[in-house]
Amino acid sequence: MQNTATPTHCPYCALQCGMNLTPAPDGTVEVSERADFPVNRGALCGKGRTAPAVLSSRVRLTSPLVRSGGTLVPATWDEALDRIAQELSRTRAEHGPDACGVFGGGGLTNEKAYTLGKFARVVLGTSQIDYNGRFCMSSAAAGGMKAFGLDRGLPFPLEDIPKSGCVILVGSNLAETMPPSLRFFTELRENGGTLIVIDPRRTKTAEQADLHLMPRPGTDLALALGLLHLVVAEGLVDEEYVRERTAGWEDARAAAMAHWPEYVERITGVPVPQLRETVRMFCEPESAMVLTARGPEQQSKGTDTVSAWINLCLATGRAGRPFSGYGCLTGQGNGQGGREHGQKADQLPGYRKLDDPAARAHVAEVWGVDPDSLPGPGRSAYELLDALGTDIKSLLLMGSNPVVSAPHAAHIEDRIKSLDFLAVCDVVLSETAALADVVLPVTQWAEETGTTTNLEGRVLLRRQAITPPDGIRSDLEVMHELADRLGVEKGFPTDPEEVFEELRRASSGGPADYSGITYRRLAEENGVFWPCPTEDTVVHPGTPRLFLDRFATPDGRARFVPVSHRAIAEEPDEEYPVLLTTGRVVAQYQSGAQTRRVDELNAAAPGPFVELHPRLAERLGAAEGDPVAVVSRRGRAVAPARITLGIRPDTVFMPFHWYGEGRANTLTNPALDPTSRMPEFKACAVRVEAVKS
């Protein structure tokens, strides 16, 4: 590649911040500001600035590895690919196609996610495919589909936030998880708008708020219902909007009225005056938004919780109007696009449903296969991982590290170890890859071209900036080679633009319609919002703002969903009297597989910790930095104490980026939301113990 700056996007969170990459004479890659991209306007967090460090051969995989005599040893590509094809063929022959599992990632480009779903269903014939994005925003997706008939993280661009009158931010610490986005909320307040943050911790985001509510973890559903009760009681329902643009209000209203303020205060711990002040701040201005993140969504009732917040927006006329609405802050880099094009257990490209005959027929025609040959919906992510070694004998895994990121992680680690065969494609030797029988080193963001879809629904073009090292291949090349070895010689191109052209056809007419989006348009227009059904930019420039005229339901009306408070799956008791909640820190990302290999980031966040209130620390006799043990019904984790007044006395917090004795997901509860199949990461019963030296 030439030593000139290449405009591209960060490999980490769903902001997909714009940046320029320039190869330096010493072989490193320099990151510079790209002010033309409206999401970050040149700003980058520490993870984005240091992202090129993972390109170094010092930390990344450079050769295929094959297990021999219990040890992973270097191998040729042919040896590694032959081994994978042989094992997958053997599994299918002995146990049937559904004994082969496929597990993807929310960091895969749209082209890779699309191809992985096609590979599972066409080459392997398996229904057993899902991805780690199930752990990201599946509850928000399910809630959005119920209410609006469509799931897109944000139905408006981030640039609309400063123009709103009030934003309620529920369960998001975006000052640390996506720092460049904080400027939109700062501008909101500078413009006279107000910010309400709902979080059981006094985070850096909460410090920016005009009002901070600190509910007990797992009670966000009751909180939203209590606010809606007050909206009704104080005569603040937008009756005309409800009548003209919604359906189902009476049942939702009746459910909310059972949640009177004093009852909600007892459940949540949020004082009634704060509930009333929230309603006043939300309803007073002409426009307002509710934005949720993993806090309310990663619960065994996450879908109902999202529905309750959407009901609040609908009752007050705050959806489908300028600078108003409900939105979800997607976490992973391609968490949005990753679930739109087929690597999710129940979906086909274009966000089509796998059990819809018309959808099957359309996609099958693009793929050149019989619709009846496509398998039906499979298991969700945790259920798939839980079936490893029993129903599922072999697993192909791309871009995920469930040994760290899955709930009840020690159990999932045991399930992975029980597999007959595991193949992993990754950039680094993650904790999961270290358990594999074959590990394939693949290209990463700066070494390849492809598209992602950010949290706004803006499809973006990541451009190749450097040539990958010798011996590295792309995931598309891997699937092409495996398909060929497994008897499917056509249909798996290695050129990402060719894959995207097929994706356009497969998505055409679907809810997430990319058919009017081309690489040329993405380069010229700095991204295009889906749906975009035609290349003619005059006829259809893309859809930055959804629902302004109608919702994506058959009659164009949004649906209220009646929901009621229920307890978390595992309430505290005498043996486990404290609640654990989990999350991220600014210097690490997801399972830490890449960021933990960057010296600067490790210096800022070297390891796990347990955040606890001084009163709890005093009862334990623990001082700042002392090791403490957090114990749940699933296991025990040990990390240094971090004592702060910024957390509820009945709650402890652990970040989930690390493996080993401080692995937070050793503790978390895999109880699943009945609709989204989201595990309950955000609330489980634990006890905290001082560790004797």
Side-chain angles (χ1 to χ4, degrees), residues 65-125:
L65 303 174
V66 172
R67 192 165 296 279
S68 176
T71 304
L72 286 171
V73 298
T76 67
W77 271 95
D78 281 340
E79 290 170 340
L81 291 166
D82 287 346
R83 173 82 180 276
I84 296 172
Q86 289 163 7
E87 293 292 342
L88 293 176
S89 293
R90 179 189 59 77
T91 297
R92 285 194 302 165
E94 293 180 5
H95 304 286
D98 275 357
C100 294
V102 177
F103 199 82
L108 300 181
T109 62
N110 291 318
E111 292 81 1
K112 294 177 185 179
Y114 171 84
T115 303
L116 189 62
K118 182 180 179 181
F119 179 88
R121 296 178 175 107
V122 172
V123 178
L124 297 179

Side-chain angles (χ1 to χ4, degrees), residues 110-414:
N110 291 318
E111 292 81 1
K112 294 177 185 179
Y114 171 84
T115 303
L116 189 62
K118 182 180 179 181
F119 179 88
R121 296 178 175 107
V122 172
V123 178
L124 297 179
T126 182
S127 66
Q128 300 304 301
I129 174 172
D130 210 66
Y131 82 127
N132 63 16
R134 176 78 65 172
F135 302 154
C136 179
M137 59 176 292
S138 57
S139 294
M145 290 296 293
K146 286 184 176 186
F148 308 129
L150 187 68
D151 157 43
R152 198 179 85 184
L154 292 180
F156 40 72
L158 284 164
E159 65 190 33
D160 282 5
I161 290 171
K163 301 169 187 174
S164 187
C166 176
V167 174
I168 300 179
L169 189 60
V170 191
S172 171
N173 183 17
L174 52 80
E176 295 199 63
T177 59
M178 44 181 65
S181 69
L182 189 62
R183 67 173 58 196
F184 295 105
F185 298 87
T186 302
E187 290 172 11
L188 164 77
R189 299 183 68 207
E190 290 172 349
N191 291 342
T194 54
L195 174 63
I196 302 168
V197 171
I198 298 173
D199 198 303
R201 302 168 60 224
R202 181 75 175 170
T203 64
K204 289 186 168 146
T205 307
E207 290 171 359
Q208 310 299 314
D210 297 282
L211 178 63
H212 175 207
L213 311 184
M214 296 181 71
R216 186 171 173 266
T219 63
D220 308 271
L221 173 54
L223 179 60
L225 287 163
L227 296 176
L228 183 53
H229 177 111
L230 285 169
V231 165
V232 175
E234 296 179 13
L236 297 172
V237 175
D238 187 331
E239 301 286 359
E240 182 181 358
Y241 174 93
V242 168
R243 184 172 56 253
E244 293 182 356
R245 298 204 61 187
T246 72
W249 166 233
E250 288 306 318
D251 288 342
R253 178 187 182 278
M257 295 315 288
H259 298 77
W260 61 94
E262 292 76 14
Y263 172 57
V264 170
E265 178 180 307
R266 289 200 301 273
I267 294 170
T268 65
V270 177
V272 171
Q274 287 193 353
L275 298 176
R276 294 188 184 280
E277 179 65 3
T278 299
V279 168
R280 184 194 68 77
M281 292 169 66
F282 186 68
C283 293
E284 209 168 64
E286 184 177 340
S287 58
M289 300 174 176
V290 172
L291 305 178
T292 66
R294 305 302 79 73
E297 298 164 16
Q298 286 181 327
Q299 298 182 27
S300 59
K301 52 187 173 180
T303 302
D304 283 358
T305 303
V306 167
S307 293
W309 288 107
I310 292 175
N311 288 349
L312 179 67
C313 291
L314 294 177
T316 53
R318 307 298 195 170
R321 284 180 168 173
F323 316 126
S324 291
Y326 165 79
C328 165
L329 299 172
T330 310
Q332 293 192 79
N334 198 31
Q336 180 71 51
R339 72 180 179 283
E340 293 169 359
H341 297 299
Q343 67 171 330
K344 195 161 170 273
D346 58 349
Q347 285 177 354
L348 288 168
Y351 223 135
R352 289 181 159 91
K353 300 297 289 184
L354 190 53
D355 56 5
D356 177 358
R360 293 169 67 88
H362 174 87
V363 174
E365 183 177 6
V366 174
W367 288 353
V369 299
D370 184 340
D372 292 338
S373 71
L374 298 177
R379 291 176 172 89
S380 71
Y382 182 80
E383 292 165 305
L384 188 157
L385 294 170
D386 190 41
L388 299 181
T390 53
D391 294 341
I392 299 172
K393 305 295 185 181
S394 295
L395 180 69
L396 174 63
L397 185 147
M398 286 188 172
S400 186
N401 189 18
V403 163
V404 177
S405 63
H408 199 1
H411 169 69
I412 295 305
E413 183 172 359
D414 287 342

Side-chain angles (χ1 to χ4, degrees), residues 425-492:
C425 299
D426 211 331
V427 172
V428 298
L429 190 67
S430 70
E431 287 78 11
T432 305
L435 302 176
D437 298 286
V438 178
V439 183
L440 300 181
V442 291
T443 53
Q444 52 181 309
W445 61 291
E447 301 165 346
E448 59 187 13
T449 294
T451 63
T452 61
T453 307
N454 80 343
L455 77 171
E456 308 165 297
R458 188 194 306 250
V459 185
L460 305 166
L461 182 63
R462 279 191 196 162
R463 298 169 176 87
Q464 182 179 355
I466 61 171
T467 302
D470 291 340
I472 307 296
R473 298 187 185 180
S474 73
D475 295 283
L476 295 179
E477 291 174 303
V478 167
M479 287 183 277
H480 172 87
E481 292 289 340
L482 289 176
D484 186 57
R485 283 167 167 80
L486 291 166
V488 180
E489 298 177 1
K490 295 182 179 179
F492 290 86

